[in-house]
Structure formats: C-alpha cells, structure tokens
Amino acid sequence: MDTEGTYDARGTGAERVPRPAGPPPAAPPPPTYAPQPRRPAADGPGVEEWLRTPRPVREPGVWRYGHVPRPPEKPEGVSDRSLLVGVLISVLSGLLLWSLWRNGYIPYRLVPLKLFTPGDWWYAGTFGGPRTIEGADALTVYEAVLFGLLVYGCGRLGNWSEIFRRHVAGRGQPFLGLATAAGGALAELLVWKDAVPLVRPVLILVASVAGGEIYQSQTVVNVIYALIALGVLWPFARLGRWRELAAARRGRAAAAVPDAPAGPPDAPTPEQWPELREAGMRDAAEALTAEVRTGRMNDVDVARLRHAWSVGRGRPERLAALTEAVLRTGGAAALHPSGARDLARRTVRHDLLTGQVRIGSCTDDPHNPYARRGSGVALEPALLGTSLLAVGPPGAGKSARLVRPVVESLALQALAGRAAVLAVGAGGELGPDDAFDVVVRIGDPASVHDFDLYGGTTDPDEAAGVLAEGLVGDVTHLDSRRAATVLAQLLGPYRAVHGHFPGVPALRELLDGDTAAIDALREALGAGGHQSMLRELEARTRQKGGAGDPGPVLADRIALLDRPAFAPFFATGDQARPFSLRSLEHLPLRVRIDLPERAHAEASRLLTRLVLAQFTAVTAARTDRSLFVCLVLDDATHTVTAETVRGIRRLRSVNAGALLTLRTVDDVPEGLHTALLGAVGCCMAFSGVTTWDGKRFAEVWGKEWVETREVAQHAVFADQPFTRALHGLRKLVTGKAVTRDAVTVRRVERERWSASELAYQVPPGHAVLSVTTVEGEHAPPLLVTLDG
C-alpha cells in the first residue's frame, strides 16, 4: 500500500498489518481515488463550509463545532402581569393628577411660581390667577415643566423602561423600528393637537429670548415648527435605532447587486490550507484547495493530511514525499494502510478537526450550570485518555448511545492516522465488519483471524503475568503473582524446547500435572542442555499439590478455553498467525473482537480480562506514544482486577484510554469500587441505576456550596382597633389570616447529585456525565439527553 512514508517512518510498514490465521487472501486491488462525498457527515454541510465553521475553545465536554455561548443569565425580575398592571396604574394615576391640576383642585398649585415671578403679574390671594400676559405665559411654561416631571415620575413608578426592553427592544429589528415609529407618530399627533403642552411653551420661550418680532417671518416660524417636530421624533429614533436599521437595509440592498469578483483575501481561509502556504508549499496548498472546492475531499481526508503535515513538519524528507504525493493524487495522499477514506455509514455527528463525537445535549435542569443548558455534549481523545466508566441497567442505551458512537469516532480518527481502536463485545453490536481492519470472531469457524493468548511477547515472565491476570485475576483468595510464577515455570521450559509457547491443550496438560507431558518436557530439556529451564520445571514439580498451589485453579480456568468450539483458535507455532495486540503499537488499526457471550459466558469473561490485561501491558511498554490507543469494552462484568485498575490509572500518561461499561458497580469486587472510580477520569450514570450505585457516584462527585432561601410565615397581630378591623375584613374575604414572610438566605454544602436523585430523577434516555481531561481540567456532572 502506498503510505507515502507516513507510517513507515515509525518502523512499520504494510507488511506489519495482521494477516489471517489461514492462508493469506489474494492481494486487494490498489485503492482508487474516486471523488468522495462533499458532506463530512449525514445531513451536514460541505467540506468548505465545515472548515470555515468556528470552533471556540470551551469547557471540557462541550460540542465545539459551531458552538454559540448562551446569553448571560438574567436575574429574576418582575412578571409581565405585574409590569402591565404597574404601567396601567401609573398612566391612570398620571391622568388623574393632571386632570386635578388643570381643573384647579390641587391647592397652592401656583405658590412656587409666584415665589419666582413679579407680584404684579398675579391677582392677590393664594388662589389668584395671572393678571397680565406675562403671568399667563409664565403659567403656560410652568405647566409644561410640571407635565414633563409628571410623565417622568409616572414612567419611573410604572417601570416603563423594563416593559419596553422586554417586549419591544427584545424582539429586535424590524419590530423595534416599527414600534418606535408608531410611538413617534402618536406623540406628534398629541403635540400638534395641543394635548401635550409643548408647542406653546416653546414659542413663548423663543419669544422671550429673541423677541416677539421674530414671528413676523413665516420662514422662521416654519423652521421652529420643524425643529419641534424633529425634537419630538429624536428620542424615538434613538430608542428604535433607526440609523442602524437604515444602514442594514442599505447593506442588504448593496449585497443584492452582483459585484465583480473580488480578488483573493490577504489572509487565506481554512480551506486554502494556510499552514502549507506559510511553509512554502504553495503548489500543494493550491492542489488541496482545488480538491476541497470541487468536492473531491471529505473531512477524513482533511484530518488525515493535516495530521500527516503536523507529524512530518520537522522532517524535510517526509514533507518532500508528502508534497509529491499530494501533487500526484490530491486528497488521496497519505492513505490509511487499508486504503479506505471513509466509513460506509455514519450514525452520529463527528468533527474530525477537534476529534469530537456528539453524544447528546445538556438538559434545562437546575442541576446543570446555566451556561451549559442546551449546549451539545461530546467526547474526544483528551477525555477518553482519562478513561470512562459507564454504569446502567440493560436497555439503558450504553451500547447504542455511547459505545457505538465512540467506536465510530475512533474508527474515523484511525482512518485519519491519529488513533487506534480495539472494540470488544458481542458480535455485530459495535459496528459493521467493513468499518474495521481486523475482525476476530472467537468461536466462529468462519473467522479469518485468531487471537494470541500471550499478547505477542516472547518473554515467558511477561506472558505469564498477563495470562495469570486473565485466568485468575478475579479470584480474590488467590495471589496472581503466585499464579504468574507457576505459569512462568511451565511457559519458559516449553518455549525453550519448542520455540513457541504451548497451545491451550498442551498448557492444560502441564497445569494438570500430566506425567507423560511433564516427563517428555523434562527429557527434551535435558537433551537440549537447558539446565536453567530444567530447574524451573523441577521447582514446579516439587510445588505441585502443596498448600495454596494455584495450579488446579489455573487448570480449571484454562479448561474453559479447551472446548471443541475453540479448537481452531489460540493455536501457536509456525503455522499459526494469530492477531496480537502489539499491532496497535504503531499502526492506526481498527480492531473488533467478537466474544461468544451467549454460549460461553465464563470463557468470554476470561478473554475480556485477558484483553484488558494485555492492553494495559502493551500500551505501557510503547516507545512511540504519538498514536492515541483506546480499548472499548462493551461489557466489563467480572473483568476488572486490582492489577488492571493500576494499569487503567497509568493509561492517561501513555496517550491511551479505556471505555468500560457495567450493569452495576457490584459487577466489580467490592474492594475495588473505590479504586476503580478513582482511577477513571470520566464517570457516567445511566437512567435506572440503583440507589447503591447512586451512592457511590454521589461520593465521587462530591458536594458544592449552594444558596438556599427559607421562608417562614408569622402571624401579624394589630394593636389599633382600626387595624384589627381591616385584618378581620381581609380574613373574612380571603379566608386566611394576615401574615408576613421572614426570608432567611444562607449558603450550605450539598451533594451535586444524591443517590435518590440518580436512581429516580434521571429520565429514560438520559445519563449524568462528568468528564476530566488529561491535563486535569474537569466539568461537573451534567444531566445529558442522549441522542447518539
């Protein structure tokens, strides 16, 4: 396969891809470079638009593709009903006061005006009106000022500004502009009908300043009238933002007129590959830009080439090979070893630029922070690198809404050369066969791949340690280190004689202490001069049958694999070519292991433990950790051991992670509950968990400080007879005694999610998820509706 040196530089090539256990199939035809769909996902945008969509940096677990932050939380204000009642009361009160004023029912109403004007302008007495024209003009101006103060006071009293912001300005344009225009027209009508005292006071003030002769010119009068009209409209124009509305209208009109095509912008857009242009690879950038714009590239191609560029940035020879491949094959350069450029079918939304897969969205629930409500929830390698534990009963959606989307995302990232995935579960539940490079169907004679029980190692001690974890790691009264010693005492001598580790039947005979098998091995060791291995075998012979000997338990467990259904599997020797997890060290492989859970449940659990132990051992021993490797166990029941918990804790430091699902936490030994929940950085509780499981998650998620309000009602006792009469009347009408509220606000520490809330308040199709990144940044537990 043509990898343009992308994977060969890691010391691996196409020949390292795992081969079937039987005769190798015919070589596949070379990959074709046919145009790929432009859409990066089902019902998604084109690649060009996909690249331009912003991806702001947000909190862990936020779906960043096109994310729009939620507006700041508004404090609890007055209800709409109270606002409308307040406006109505303030308007009616203002009209009543103005009517009383105009009709002279308010006493001493002219006293303030008479204090600042000459006395000969007024008739004598407190209620005397104007006697001269100057007094009448002063009264007109005085009433206009009082009218303005009355309107301002009623506006403040009725909270007119709040109702304007909520019901007029909050609707935006063009409603805001139309509403303020209607208000301006109404104001103009009231002003020129003299219902609002404005025109005459203005004319009087102008005459007092410039003299009455100014009105002899009709032009001056028209100008004054025009200024009054504009002055009335000006506040409405400011409130309605008429200038912005007009500018927006002109902009849309200009945009509707086709212009000449503009020249290329100074700063290249994302689909123009600016990183390649800055590095001087302009020809390659132009070729890829044309591929994007003509629809011959998809999102996997973009992610793969960007990754290839970032990996080879410091190596000129690799960049030269990549540039040549891009100029030759375009978006088909640096292909995955399988030659695939996409999955045949996608079931969820992916964003390969950030490596995220969307699994749901945060609900509008008080448990969720205000800023996160309604936002998308996504998983990515930065989160899976801390490992994820999901707990929920059967049918809660763990496989369909979590495991399969994650496996699909990792498979796409493997095609982009950035990850490798190993998915273990029941057959057919983790994705179609064409979505994987290697499919191991244990117990199925039609399977073209076998499984290596020893993890591809040649070290007997390492093979014994991993195999012991898989066989007896769940036996609490048995020390797995003693079991590893017993296995090493048999595996080492057998390999020294035969050049490979024993198969399942041979290993079972050795563990059972079969005399013929032990004698034959002893004779072969003596004839070959393997004295050190002979001492190992003799030590095992002496220890056999002693107190606490793990040999019988190991023999019983290995007997689970020595069944007719598994006869073609687990073979060793020159003719056997099983799949080894060590293939995941350097190659971005997509591997699926199907277990016979229905027919051989105990054997499936044993193999799952063995896979987990091999995975932690292989990833910890990697020298090149640039490739993210993830193990997905669709059912980790009776799989976790003390040693694998320690291995899971080490995964985040070696760019690896694991996703484990359980029906209940009790599927793990009780002594490992705390250790397991502390080893994983992401926890997920599905709908239907028990209160016992909820209690453990509540302890993991801890407590937070919240503000509580306590309202106590106290009876009001009146001392005055009139007050007691009013209280009695109110009780007679409402049927309730008169009370007053005493509000106490305090900060208390409460559980983020209690055990009962997790058990009874998580709706079906939902889960509570907390995430942590490999850098240590974390997000609180969120109630998520799953749409994966």
Side-chain angles (χ1 to χ4, degrees), residues 639-704:
T639 298
V640 179
T641 65
E643 184 61 32
T644 53
V645 168
R646 288 189 286 270
I648 290 173
R649 188 179 291 111
R650 294 191 296 265
L651 290 180
R652 69 176 66 188
S653 62
V654 295
N655 196 22
L659 190 158
L660 313 177
T661 67
L662 296 171
R663 295 181 177 89
T664 174
V665 181
D666 290 331
D667 288 338
V668 176
E670 185 176 359
L672 297 178
H673 289 176
T674 303
L676 176 61
L677 291 171
V680 297
C682 305
C683 295
M684 198 168 186
F686 280 76
S687 172
V689 297
T690 63
T691 53
W692 292 272
D693 289 341
K695 180 181 179 180
R696 298 182 179 96
F697 281 106
E699 293 174 351
V700 171
W701 290 327
K703 301 179 180 181
E704 63 178 345

Coordinates of all heavy atoms in Angstrom, one line a residue, residues 639-704:
T639 N -14.5 -8.3 35.0 CA -13.3 -8.1 34.2 C -12.2 -7.4 35.0 O -11.0 -7.7 34.8 CB -13.7 -7.3 32.9 OG1 -14.6 -8.1 32.1 CG2 -12.4 -7.1 32.1
V640 N -12.6 -6.5 35.8 CA -11.6 -5.6 36.5 C -11.0 -6.3 37.6 O -11.7 -6.9 38.5 CB -12.3 -4.3 37.0 CG1 -11.4 -3.4 37.6 CG2 -13.0 -3.6 35.8
T641 N -9.7 -6.2 37.7 CA -8.9 -6.8 38.8 C -8.0 -5.7 39.4 O -7.9 -4.6 38.8 CB -8.0 -7.9 38.3 OG1 -7.0 -7.4 37.3 CG2 -8.8 -9.0 37.5
A642 N -7.4 -6.0 40.5 CA -6.6 -5.0 41.1 C -5.4 -4.5 40.2 O -5.1 -3.4 40.2 CB -6.0 -5.6 42.4
E643 N -4.8 -5.5 39.5 CA -3.7 -5.1 38.6 C -4.2 -4.3 37.4 O -3.5 -3.3 37.0 CB -3.0 -6.4 38.1 CG -1.8 -6.1 37.3 CD -0.7 -5.3 38.0 OE1 -0.6 -5.5 39.3 OE2 0.0 -4.5 37.4
T644 N -5.3 -4.6 36.8 CA -5.8 -3.8 35.7 C -6.3 -2.4 36.1 O -6.2 -1.5 35.4 CB -7.0 -4.6 35.0 OG1 -8.0 -4.9 36.0 CG2 -6.5 -5.8 34.4
V645 N -6.8 -2.3 37.4 CA -7.1 -0.9 37.9 C -5.8 -0.1 37.9 O -5.9 1.1 37.5 CB -7.7 -1.0 39.3 CG1 -7.8 0.4 39.9 CG2 -9.1 -1.6 39.2
R646 N -4.7 -0.7 38.4 CA -3.5 0.1 38.3 C -3.0 0.4 36.9 O -2.5 1.5 36.6 CB -2.4 -0.7 39.1 CG -2.5 -0.7 40.6 CD -1.3 -1.3 41.3 NE -1.3 -2.8 41.1 CZ -1.9 -3.6 42.0 NH1 -2.5 -3.2 43.0 NH2 -1.8 -4.9 41.8
G647 N -3.3 -0.5 36.0 CA -3.0 -0.3 34.6 C -3.8 0.8 34.0 O -3.3 1.6 33.2
I648 N -5.1 0.8 34.3 CA -6.0 1.9 33.8 C -5.6 3.2 34.3 O -5.6 4.2 33.6 CB -7.5 1.6 34.2 CG1 -8.0 0.4 33.5 CG2 -8.4 2.8 34.0 CD1 -9.3 -0.1 34.0
R649 N -5.1 3.3 35.6 CA -4.6 4.6 36.1 C -3.4 5.1 35.3 O -3.2 6.3 35.2 CB -4.3 4.4 37.6 CG -4.0 5.7 38.3 CD -3.7 5.5 39.8 NE -4.9 5.1 40.5 CZ -5.0 3.9 41.0 NH1 -4.1 2.9 40.9 NH2 -6.1 3.5 41.7
R650 N -2.6 4.2 34.8 CA -1.4 4.6 34.0 C -1.7 5.0 32.6 O -0.8 5.5 31.9 CB -0.4 3.5 34.1 CG 0.2 3.2 35.4 CD 1.4 2.3 35.3 NE 1.1 1.0 34.7 CZ 0.8 -0.1 35.4 NH1 0.8 0.0 36.8 NH2 0.5 -1.2 34.9
L651 N -2.9 4.7 32.1 CA -3.1 4.9 30.6 C -3.0 6.4 30.2 O -2.6 6.7 29.1 CB -4.5 4.4 30.3 CG -4.7 2.9 30.3 CD1 -6.1 2.5 30.0 CD2 -3.7 2.2 29.4
R652 N -3.5 7.3 31.1 CA -3.5 8.7 30.7 C -2.1 9.3 30.5 O -2.0 10.2 29.7 CB -4.2 9.6 31.7 CG -3.5 9.7 33.1 CD -4.3 10.6 34.0 NE -5.6 10.1 34.4 CZ -6.5 10.8 35.0 NH1 -6.3 12.0 35.4 NH2 -7.6 10.2 35.4
S653 N -1.1 8.7 31.0 CA 0.3 9.1 30.9 C 0.9 8.5 29.6 O 2.0 9.0 29.3 CB 1.1 8.8 32.1 OG 1.2 7.4 32.3
V654 N 0.3 7.6 29.0 CA 0.9 6.9 27.8 C 0.0 7.2 26.6 O 0.1 6.4 25.6 CB 1.1 5.4 28.0 CG1 2.2 5.2 29.1 CG2 -0.2 4.7 28.4
N655 N -0.8 8.2 26.6 CA -1.7 8.5 25.4 C -2.6 7.4 25.0 O -2.6 7.0 23.9 CB -0.8 9.0 24.2 CG -1.7 9.7 23.2 OD1 -2.8 10.2 23.5 ND2 -1.2 9.7 22.0
A656 N -3.2 6.8 26.0 CA -4.2 5.7 25.8 C -5.3 5.9 26.8 O -5.3 6.7 27.7 CB -3.5 4.4 26.0
G657 N -6.4 5.1 26.5 CA -7.6 5.2 27.4 C -8.4 4.0 27.2 O -8.2 3.1 26.3
A658 N -9.4 3.9 28.0 CA -10.3 2.7 28.0 C -11.8 3.2 28.3 O -12.0 4.2 29.1 CB -9.9 1.7 29.0
L659 N -12.7 2.6 27.7 CA -14.1 2.8 28.0 C -14.7 1.5 28.5 O -14.7 0.5 27.7 CB -14.8 3.3 26.7 CG -16.3 3.8 26.9 CD1 -16.6 4.7 25.7 CD2 -17.3 2.7 27.0
L660 N -15.2 1.5 29.7 CA -15.8 0.3 30.3 C -17.2 0.5 30.6 O -17.6 1.6 31.2 CB -15.0 0.0 31.6 CG -13.5 0.0 31.5 CD1 -12.9 -0.3 32.9 CD2 -13.0 -1.0 30.5
T661 N -18.1 -0.4 30.4 CA -19.5 -0.4 30.7 C -19.8 -1.5 31.7 O -19.3 -2.6 31.5 CB -20.4 -0.4 29.5 OG1 -20.3 -1.7 28.9 CG2 -20.0 0.6 28.5
L662 N -20.6 -1.2 32.7 CA -21.1 -2.2 33.7 C -22.6 -2.1 33.8 O -23.2 -1.0 33.7 CB -20.4 -1.9 35.0 CG -18.9 -2.1 35.1 CD1 -18.4 -1.6 36.4 CD2 -18.5 -3.5 34.9
R663 N -23.2 -3.2 34.2 CA -24.6 -3.1 34.5 C -24.8 -2.5 35.9 O -25.8 -1.9 36.2 CB -25.2 -4.5 34.4 CG -25.3 -5.1 33.0 CD -25.9 -6.5 33.0 NE -26.0 -7.0 31.6 CZ -25.0 -7.7 31.1 NH1 -23.9 -8.0 31.7 NH2 -25.2 -8.2 29.8
T664 N -23.9 -2.8 36.8 CA -23.9 -2.3 38.1 C -22.5 -2.3 38.7 O -21.6 -3.1 38.2 CB -24.8 -3.1 39.1 OG1 -24.6 -2.7 40.4 CG2 -24.4 -4.6 39.0
V665 N -22.2 -1.4 39.6 CA -20.8 -1.4 40.2 C -20.5 -2.7 40.9 O -19.3 -3.0 41.1 CB -20.7 -0.1 41.1 CG1 -19.3 0.0 41.7 CG2 -21.0 1.1 40.3
D666 N -21.5 -3.4 41.4 CA -21.3 -4.6 42.1 C -20.7 -5.7 41.2 O -20.4 -6.8 41.7 CB -22.6 -5.1 42.7 CG -23.0 -4.2 43.9 OD1 -22.1 -3.6 44.5 OD2 -24.3 -4.1 44.1
D667 N -20.7 -5.5 39.8 CA -20.0 -6.4 39.0 C -18.5 -6.4 39.1 O -17.8 -7.2 38.5 CB -20.4 -6.1 37.5 CG -21.8 -6.5 37.2 OD1 -22.4 -7.3 37.9 OD2 -22.4 -5.9 36.2
V668 N -18.0 -5.5 39.9 CA -16.6 -5.4 40.3 C -16.5 -5.8 41.7 O -17.4 -5.5 42.5 CB -16.1 -3.9 40.1 CG1 -14.7 -3.7 40.5 CG2 -16.3 -3.5 38.6
P669 N -15.4 -6.5 42.1 CA -15.2 -6.8 43.5 C -15.4 -5.6 44.4 O -14.9 -4.5 44.1 CB -13.9 -7.4 43.6 CG -13.6 -8.0 42.2 CD -14.4 -7.0 41.3
E670 N -16.0 -5.8 45.6 CA -16.3 -4.7 46.5 C -15.0 -3.9 46.9 O -15.0 -2.7 47.0 CB -17.0 -5.2 47.7 CG -17.5 -4.0 48.6 CD -18.3 -4.6 49.8 OE1 -18.5 -5.8 49.8 OE2 -18.7 -3.7 50.6
G671 N -13.9 -4.6 47.1 CA -12.7 -4.0 47.5 C -12.1 -3.1 46.4 O -11.2 -2.3 46.7
L672 N -12.6 -3.2 45.1 CA -12.1 -2.4 44.0 C -13.0 -1.2 43.6 O -12.7 -0.5 42.7 CB -11.8 -3.2 42.8 CG -10.8 -4.4 43.0 CD1 -10.6 -5.2 41.7 CD2 -9.4 -3.8 43.3
H673 N -14.1 -1.1 44.3 CA -15.1 0.0 43.9 C -14.4 1.4 44.0 O -14.4 2.2 43.0 CB -16.3 0.0 44.9 CG -17.2 -1.2 44.6 ND1 -18.3 -1.5 45.4 CD2 -17.1 -2.2 43.7 CE1 -18.9 -2.6 44.9 NE2 -18.2 -3.1 43.9
T674 N -13.8 1.7 45.1 CA -13.2 3.0 45.3 C -12.0 3.2 44.4 O -11.9 4.2 43.8 CB -12.8 3.2 46.8 OG1 -13.9 3.0 47.6 CG2 -12.2 4.6 47.0
A675 N -11.2 2.1 44.2 CA -10.0 2.2 43.4 C -10.4 2.4 41.9 O -9.8 3.3 41.2 CB -9.2 1.0 43.5
L676 N -11.4 1.7 41.4 CA -11.9 1.9 40.0 C -12.4 3.3 39.8 O -12.1 3.9 38.8 CB -12.9 0.8 39.7 CG -13.5 0.9 38.3 CD1 -12.4 0.7 37.2 CD2 -14.5 -0.2 38.1
L677 N -13.3 3.7 40.7 CA -13.9 5.0 40.4 C -12.9 6.1 40.6 O -13.1 7.2 40.0 CB -15.1 5.3 41.5 CG -16.3 4.4 41.2 CD1 -17.3 4.5 42.4 CD2 -17.0 4.7 39.9
G678 N -11.9 5.9 41.3 CA -10.8 6.9 41.4 C -9.8 6.8 40.3 O -9.1 7.8 40.0
A679 N -9.7 5.7 39.6 CA -8.8 5.5 38.5 C -9.3 6.2 37.2 O -8.5 6.6 36.4 CB -8.5 4.1 38.3
V680 N -10.6 6.2 37.0 CA -11.1 6.8 35.8 C -11.4 8.3 36.0 O -11.7 8.7 37.1 CB -12.4 6.1 35.3 CG1 -12.1 4.6 35.0 CG2 -13.5 6.2 36.4
G681 N -11.2 9.0 34.9 CA -11.5 10.5 35.0 C -12.9 10.9 34.6 O -13.3 12.0 34.9
C682 N -13.6 10.0 33.8 CA -14.9 10.3 33.4 C -15.9 9.2 33.9 O -15.6 8.0 33.8 CB -15.0 10.3 31.8 SG -13.8 11.5 31.1
C683 N -17.0 9.6 34.5 CA -18.0 8.7 35.0 C -19.3 9.0 34.4 O -19.7 10.2 34.1 CB -18.1 8.8 36.5 SG -16.6 8.4 37.4
M684 N -20.1 8.0 34.2 CA -21.4 8.2 33.5 C -22.4 7.2 34.2 O -22.2 6.0 34.2 CB -21.3 7.9 32.0 CG -22.4 8.4 31.2 SD -22.0 8.3 29.4 CE -23.4 9.1 28.7
A685 N -23.5 7.8 34.7 CA -24.5 7.0 35.4 C -25.8 7.1 34.5 O -26.3 8.2 34.3 CB -24.8 7.5 36.8
F686 N -26.2 6.0 33.9 CA -27.4 6.0 33.1 C -28.7 5.9 33.9 O -28.7 5.6 35.1 CB -27.3 4.8 32.1 CG -26.4 5.0 30.9 CD1 -25.1 5.0 31.1 CD2 -27.0 5.3 29.7 CE1 -24.2 5.2 30.0 CE2 -26.1 5.5 28.6 CZ -24.8 5.5 28.7
S687 N -29.8 6.1 33.2 CA -31.1 6.0 33.9 C -31.3 4.6 34.3 O -31.1 3.7 33.6 CB -32.2 6.5 32.9 OG -33.5 6.2 33.4
G688 N -31.8 4.5 35.6 CA -32.2 3.2 36.1 C -31.2 2.6 37.0 O -31.4 1.5 37.5
V689 N -30.1 3.3 37.4 CA -29.2 2.8 38.3 C -29.8 2.7 39.7 O -30.8 3.4 40.0 CB -27.9 3.7 38.4 CG1 -27.2 3.7 37.1 CG2 -28.3 5.1 38.9
T690 N -29.3 1.8 40.5 CA -29.8 1.6 41.9 C -29.3 2.7 42.8 O -28.4 3.4 42.5 CB -29.5 0.2 42.4 OG1 -28.0 0.1 42.5 CG2 -30.0 -0.9 41.4
T691 N -30.0 2.8 44.0 CA -29.5 3.7 45.0 C -28.1 3.4 45.5 O -27.4 4.3 45.9 CB -30.5 3.8 46.1 OG1 -30.8 2.5 46.6 CG2 -31.8 4.4 45.7
W692 N -27.8 2.1 45.5 CA -26.5 1.7 45.9 C -25.4 2.2 45.0 O -24.4 2.7 45.4 CB -26.4 0.1 46.0 CG -27.2 -0.4 47.1 CD1 -26.9 -0.6 48.4 CD2 -28.6 -0.8 47.0 NE1 -28.0 -1.1 49.2 CE2 -29.0 -1.3 48.3 CE3 -29.5 -0.9 46.0 CZ2 -30.3 -1.8 48.5 CZ3 -30.8 -1.4 46.2 CH2 -31.1 -1.8 47.5
D693 N -25.6 2.0 43.7 CA -24.7 2.6 42.7 C -24.7 4.1 42.7 O -23.7 4.8 42.6 CB -25.1 2.1 41.3 CG -24.8 0.7 41.1 OD1 -24.0 0.1 41.9 OD2 -25.3 0.1 40.2
G694 N -25.9 4.7 42.9 CA -26.0 6.2 43.0 C -25.2 6.7 44.2 O -24.6 7.8 44.1
K695 N -25.2 6.0 45.3 CA -24.4 6.4 46.4 C -22.9 6.5 46.1 O -22.3 7.5 46.5 CB -24.7 5.5 47.6 CG -23.9 5.9 48.9 CD -24.2 4.9 50.0 CE -23.4 5.3 51.3 NZ -23.6 4.3 52.4
R696 N -22.4 5.6 45.4 CA -21.0 5.6 45.0 C -20.7 6.8 44.1 O -19.7 7.4 44.2 CB -20.6 4.3 44.4 CG -20.8 3.1 45.3 CD -20.4 1.8 44.7 NE -20.5 0.7 45.6 CZ -21.6 -0.2 45.6 NH1 -22.6 0.0 44.8 NH2 -21.7 -1.2 46.5
F697 N -21.6 7.0 43.1 CA -21.3 8.1 42.2 C -21.5 9.5 43.0 O -20.7 10.4 42.7 CB -22.3 8.1 41.0 CG -22.0 7.1 40.0 CD1 -22.6 6.0 39.8 CD2 -20.9 7.4 39.1 CE1 -22.3 5.1 38.8 CE2 -20.5 6.6 38.1 CZ -21.2 5.4 37.9
A698 N -22.4 9.5 43.9 CA -22.6 10.8 44.7 C -21.3 11.0 45.5 O -20.9 12.2 45.6 CB -23.8 10.6 45.6
E699 N -20.7 10.0 46.0 CA -19.4 10.2 46.7 C -18.3 10.6 45.8 O -17.4 11.5 46.2 CB -19.0 8.9 47.4 CG -20.0 8.5 48.6 CD -19.6 7.1 49.1 OE1 -18.8 6.4 48.5 OE2 -20.2 6.7 50.2
V700 N -18.3 10.1 44.6 CA -17.2 10.5 43.6 C -17.4 12.0 43.2 O -16.4 12.7 43.2 CB -17.3 9.6 42.4 CG1 -16.4 10.1 41.3 CG2 -16.9 8.2 42.7
W701 N -18.6 12.4 43.0 CA -18.8 13.8 42.5 C -18.8 14.8 43.6 O -18.8 16.0 43.4 CB -20.2 13.8 41.8 CG -20.1 13.1 40.4 CD1 -19.0 13.0 39.6 CD2 -21.1 12.4 39.8 NE1 -19.3 12.3 38.5 CE2 -20.6 11.8 38.6 CE3 -22.5 12.1 40.1 CZ2 -21.3 11.1 37.7 CZ3 -23.2 11.3 39.2 CH2 -22.6 10.8 38.0
G702 N -18.9 14.4 44.9 CA -18.7 15.3 46.0 C -19.9 16.3 46.2 O -21.0 16.1 45.7
K703 N -19.5 17.4 46.9 CA -20.5 18.4 47.2 C -20.2 19.7 46.7 O -19.0 19.9 46.2 CB -20.7 18.5 48.8 CG -21.1 17.1 49.4 CD -21.2 17.3 50.9 CE -21.6 16.0 51.6 NZ -21.7 16.1 53.1
E704 N -21.1 20.6 46.7 CA -20.9 22.0 46.3 C -21.7 23.0 47.2 O -22.6 22.6 47.9 CB -21.3 22.2 44.8 CG -22.8 22.0 44.6 CD -23.3 22.2 43.2 OE1 -22.5 22.8 42.4 OE2 -24.4 21.8 42.8

